[in-house]
């Protein structure tokens, strides 16, 4: 048996992030100011973000140095292992070789600190003392709480209520790292109060929670905003995952035929897949790159590629992306981190350019795949990650039919230790596979801003 | 800055466990049959354990091969990293160098699968189809559930009620790996029913849960019993931790001055410390080796070194060990894995021989130390492990006073992802530091069997 885990030394850890904007055949559409309908400039974003991050958002530099202070924190858990799923291959009786990148080894338990640490660093550099953010499943909130604690920045997290109620341990974890965490919609912002007036029992959504955090950042001199996905600089920071994976495959003497990640806002998928997308664009590789979303929130497979707000209260700039409509509130599926109406513009653009495929899957088959993985490999994945596992399993089973020994790689983006209530529901046959809410989406999309 | 993590390759993983019985200056006292008061033989243990494990229990061989099937499973997470706590050293402003062995990377989240996998393997070898066990905090139960699933063995876990109620996620994790988990005391055994008659609200204890699991194994032809600590073969399997650590220190060009682990039944401490104890015995090293227990269950610091039963219902053989009395039920501290009246005979013997020191600490200072560690290093430890962290912190602070640059190593035996309710109580000033229950211990010790 070959090695199960492929490690890199700390000296081999990437010292630069890769910026795919430098290699895109067609540039990204500009971000638009909702008032002027003109492309926005750095100054428009200055109330929200430190200039270091704003410049990364629009940078065309191919490689950007990872600051030493950020590398030092990464070393608490990075480079993360790439693991060959020998036992799962055997259980699936497939000739395919399955590898997974294991991001669950970070202290907050997911890939999210890759960008949280960088964002906290650049905020600290510019003297920021306080950051507000939102979180869905709690992985982003934990990661930012962890990072802010290390750089001595105050942290306030608006957590989507359905996850706040389902996952109390995530809240305590944030509090342990010194952050304040409250359920969203809350009565602490105009955006939150407006939603609660309409629906006092609102389960919340990422779009609403973003509105609340943005409002707090805009209305308080001492506070900036931080986003855990969607934006270009977030995708940039996450490329450390894919860059490590490329080196690990080189050590293993392989190159993946299929590269898979789940998508909510797009960051773990993009971070994992972008270096492989580069190889497709620049070196003409034929890799199949697959993004996987929940059928209950099918942004890419059912959304429109249009300019839309990133949040529900229409306070953000307009972004060209696949969208279900900024006031679409998805059903309370357990993959809370994937319940977002929009998507990273980079991920959308790669899809438009035909560089990636997208699949949507329901909760039950997704958990079924996760269980198959857990029983063979042990490591318990988050429900979000389970979507990638479902696609990897389908691919491996197709290889069983065809006899092909494809190399399949997926990003195991985080552990499910705080999602065991969801596993319990799956085991008790209580999980609902929600039908596609066609009417609700149509209604939300009727409110799209009128910008082409 | 030097490397933060010291890794071994899979090829460097130990291929043999180390059996300290071969090097003890004085042999271990025999285990006694409670009826005949004579030393027991292998046949006496045959209803409980497969012969492969019984022979390891009494083996005098210095090294015992780790079966290839067990090594293959270990490779899902081993070798585990040894991590230099650069940030914590800085936070404590100490000249000491602090290293921790990080066992939280295993799928069940602690060191426990090191022996669970071995035990499942030897049971499987001898055709065992079903295993019953107990668990305190749930780490052992999860580990055995994980291991039994991999070797296709049915698994039944009696979980101490206080932990069962405090930590529902641990139960679900066991169920996810296919085990059955019920709270102890239960009405499924005579031992459990007897306790419930006396005290229907019993919070349970490891001693009671052991009685239930042993009773089930003895009364069912198809079922063996498995213990996650205390016994010699368990300590043996855990030496993989310390053997890796020795190699990692060699790579780092250091040798620890102080080696620390927490003790409940003794397995994570012994697994970590025994290879260093060997160096003391055989090579004359001067290492300070420290075992740390909770002040609310001070087996070593307040117990008697006497023959006692391993369980509450007096069904096990008699073991010479430090004991608070087999019917002592500790207060419901959050370090559920340390709530045991007895202790590994090997650990007790090393203490008697003057080879190790023992400290006891209360919950609040222990959590305070854990918080200091978490804020600096990120990784969130289990409340059990926090006891080792407390001792490491005290040692580092003494170095700050003395100016000594000691090398301190502790076993970070597991993560605290399922213990966040305890962190919440600590943060809310709700944790109680229970006084030493002198009267209760005296009463329990009055029931010690009359064997010298």
């Amino acid at each position: 048996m070959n090695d199960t885990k492929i490690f890199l030394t700390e000296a081999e850890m990437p010292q630069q992030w890769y910026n795919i904007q430098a290699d895109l055949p067609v540039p990204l559409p500009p971000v638009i100011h909702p008032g002027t309908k003109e492309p926005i400039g750095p100054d428009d974003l200055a109330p929200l973000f430190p200039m270091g991050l704003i410049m990364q958002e629009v940078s065309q530099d191919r490689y950007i140095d990872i600051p030493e202070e950020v590398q030092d924190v990464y070393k608490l858990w990075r480079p993360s292992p790439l693991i060959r799923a020998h036992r799962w291959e055997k259980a699936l009786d497939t000739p395919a070789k399955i590898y997974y990148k294991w991001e669950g080894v970070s202290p907050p338990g997911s890939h999210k600190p890759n960008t949280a640490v960088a964002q906290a660093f650049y905020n600290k550099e510019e003297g920021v003392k306080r950051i507000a953010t939102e979180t869905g499943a709690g992985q982003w909130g934990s990661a930012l709480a962890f990072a802010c604690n290390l750089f001595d920045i105050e942290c306030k997290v608006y957590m989507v209520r359905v996850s706040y109620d389902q996952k109390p341990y995530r809240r305590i974890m944030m509090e342990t790292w010194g952050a304040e965490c409250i359920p969203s919609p809350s009565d602490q912002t105009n955006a939150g109060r407006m939603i609660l007036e309409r629906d006092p029992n609102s389960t919340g959504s990422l779009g609403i929670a973003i509105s609340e955090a943005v409002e707090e950042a805009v209305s308080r001199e001492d506070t900036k905003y931080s986003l855990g996905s969607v934006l270009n600089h977030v995708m940039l920071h996450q490329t450390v995952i894919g860059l490590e994976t490329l080196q690990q495959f080189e050590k293993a003497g392989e190159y993946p035929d299929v590269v898979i990640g789940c998508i909510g806002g797009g960051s773990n998928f993009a971070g994992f897949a972008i270096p492989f997308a580069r190889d497709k664009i620049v070196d003409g590789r034929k890799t199949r790159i697959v993004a996987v979303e929940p059928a209950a929130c099918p942004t890419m497979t059912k959304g429109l590629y249009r300019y839309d707000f990133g949040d529900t209260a229409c306070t953000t700039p307009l972004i060209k992306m696949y969208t279900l409509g900024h006031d679409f509130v998805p059903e309370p599926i357990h993959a809370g981190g994937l319940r977002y109406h929009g998507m990273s513009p980079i991920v959308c653009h790669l899809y438009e350019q035909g560089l990636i495929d997208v699949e949507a899957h329901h909760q039950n088959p997704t958990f079924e795949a996760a269980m198959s993985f857990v029983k063979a490999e042990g490591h318990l994945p988050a429900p979000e990650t389970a979507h990638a596992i479902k696609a990897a399993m389908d691919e491996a089973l197709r290889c069983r039919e065809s006899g092909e020994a494809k190399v399949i790689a997926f990003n195991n983006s985080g552990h499910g230790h705080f999602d065991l209530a969801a596993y319990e529901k799956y085991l008790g046959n209580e999980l609902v596979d929600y039908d596609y809410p066609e009417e609700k989406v149509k209604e939300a999309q009727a409110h799209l801003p009128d910008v082409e």
Side-chain angles (χ1 to χ4, degrees), chain A:
Chain A
M1 206 187 261
N2 296 328
D3 269 12
T4 299
K5 297 181 300 305
I6 299 145
F7 275 112
L8 300 177
T9 64
E10 289 178 8
E12 292 169 318
M13 194 175 77
Q15 301 188 348
Q16 298 184 310
W17 295 299
Y18 166 63
N19 180 14
I20 197 166
Q21 291 193 64
D23 288 318
L24 287 176
V26 176
L28 288 174
V31 173
I32 299 288
H33 191 289
T36 65
K37 314 237 161 136
E38 293 296 319
I40 60 162
D43 288 349
D44 295 312
L45 294 173
L48 292 180
F49 303 108
M51 205 44 73
L53 292 173
I54 294 171
M55 297 321 288
Q56 289 184 351
E57 188 65 19
V58 295
S59 171
Q60 300 295 312
D61 295 344
R62 185 164 284 115
Y63 289 97
I64 294 175
D65 288 344
I66 306 176
E68 219 169 284
E69 293 89 336
V70 173
Q71 289 189 45
D72 280 346
V73 177
Y74 279 178
K75 287 175 186 170
L76 291 174
W77 73 96
R78 303 209 73 85
S80 70
L82 180 72
I83 306 182
R84 171 86 184 270
H86 285 296
R87 285 172 186 274
W88 197 33
E89 291 168 15
K90 209 172 148 192
L92 297 176
D93 190 23
T94 178
K97 297 179 187 175
I98 310 175
Y99 290 85
Y100 63 95
K101 181 71 166 166
W102 184 213
E103 290 289 304
V105 293
S106 79
S110 79
H111 67 293
K112 291 289 188 188
N114 297 329
T115 184
V117 171
Q119 292 192 42
F121 169 79
Y122 290 110
N123 273 284
K124 183 72 178 182
E125 279 265 280
E126 298 181 26
V128 175
K129 302 252 183 301
R130 193 165 177 283
I131 297 179
T133 196
E134 73 293 326
T135 196
Q139 290 188 325
W140 167 244
S142 314
L144 194 67
F146 161 75
C148 282
N149 163 65
L150 290 177
F151 289 101
D152 202 18
I153 296 170
E154 215 178 300
C155 181
K156 164 87 165 277
V157 182
Y158 290 89
M159 185 169 187
V160 176
R161 176 169 288 279
V162 58
S163 291
Y164 186 92
D165 292 340
Q166 280 170 352
K167 301 167 76 173
Y169 283 16
R170 275 283 171 201
R171 168 184 55 77
I172 307 170
M173 191 177 220
M174 295 180 226
E175 290 169 353
T176 301
W177 282 315
E180 183 192 355
C181 174
I182 65 166
S184 165
S186 79
D187 61 3
Q188 298 194 7
T189 65
N190 292 328
R193 284 187 292 268
M194 210 173 67
I195 300 283
L196 287 174
E197 251 168 56
R198 249 190 281 156
D199 176 8
N201 299 316
S202 168
T203 53
S205 71
L206 275 169
I208 296 168
I210 293 174
S211 293
E212 295 206 85
V214 166
E215 183 180 326
E216 177 158 340
V218 169
S219 60
R220 281 184 63 153
E221 190 64 41
D222 66 345
T223 303
K224 293 276 184 203
Y225 169 69
S226 171
L227 187 62
S229 193
V230 181
L231 300 178
N232 302 340
H233 67 269
V234 177
M235 308 299 131
L236 173 78
H237 302 151
Q238 292 293 358
T239 59
V240 68
I241 306 172
L243 293 168
E244 283 181 9
T245 308
L246 265 175
Q247 284 187 73
Q248 286 165 314
F249 270 117
E250 207 177 309
K251 279 201 179 184
E254 308 258 28
Y255 192 95
D257 300 299
V258 190
V259 166
I260 301 167
C262 65
I263 48 170
S267 79
N268 98 70
F269 165 76
F272 186 55
I274 277 177
F276 296 97
R278 179 220 159 268
D279 289 2
K280 269 182 105 157
I281 297 168
V282 179
D283 303 338
R285 286 269 189 187
K286 300 284 181 214
T287 325
R288 180 166 125 81
I289 303 180
V290 190
V292 193
E293 63 184 9
C297 189
T299 309
M300 300 287 285
T301 50
K302 302 279 191 180
L304 300 171
Y305 190 47
R306 288 276 299 274
Y307 273 100
D308 197 5
F309 293 98
D311 71 324
T312 301
C314 306
T315 53
T316 71
L318 295 173
I319 303 169
K320 184 86 181 267
M321 61 183 176
Y322 280 83
T323 177
L324 296 167
H326 55 264
D327 48 11
F328 174 71
V329 176
E331 296 293 342
I333 54 167
H334 281 274
L338 308 185
R339 293 174 72 244
Y340 184 57
H341 69 276
M343 185 56 62
S344 150
I346 289 180
V347 171
C348 296
H349 188 75
L350 292 174
Y351 188 45
E352 279 297 295
Q353 299 290 312
L355 289 159
I356 66 171
D357 296 338
V358 180
E359 293 177 7
H361 293 290
H362 281 292
Q363 290 198 95
N364 279 298
T366 295
F367 270 90
E368 191 188 345
M371 285 295 295
S372 163
F373 176 80
V374 167
K375 293 213 158 191
E377 296 292 316
H379 296 296
L380 201 131
E384 291 82 1
T385 311
H387 289 77
I389 294 177
K390 166 64 177 159
M393 185 163 120
D394 286 352
E395 194 75 40
L397 294 178
R398 280 192 292 271
C399 285
R400 181 167 76 188
E401 294 309 309
S402 69
E404 288 171 287
K406 282 189 186 169
V407 176
I408 301 167
F410 71 89
N411 191 14
N412 195 336
S413 56
H415 65 62
H417 296 167
F418 302 115
D419 303 282
L420 280 155
Y423 278 86
E424 186 174 36
K425 288 214 166 140
Y426 170 75
L427 292 170
N429 287 315
E430 292 170 45
L431 277 193
V432 180
D433 284 339
Y434 298 100
D435 284 334
Y436 171 60
E438 197 169 349
E439 286 309 310
K440 238 169 86 180
V441 171
K442 266 192 196 152
E443 201 188 308
Q445 288 177 337
H447 307 151
L448 286 178
D450 192 20
V451 180
E452 275 312 311

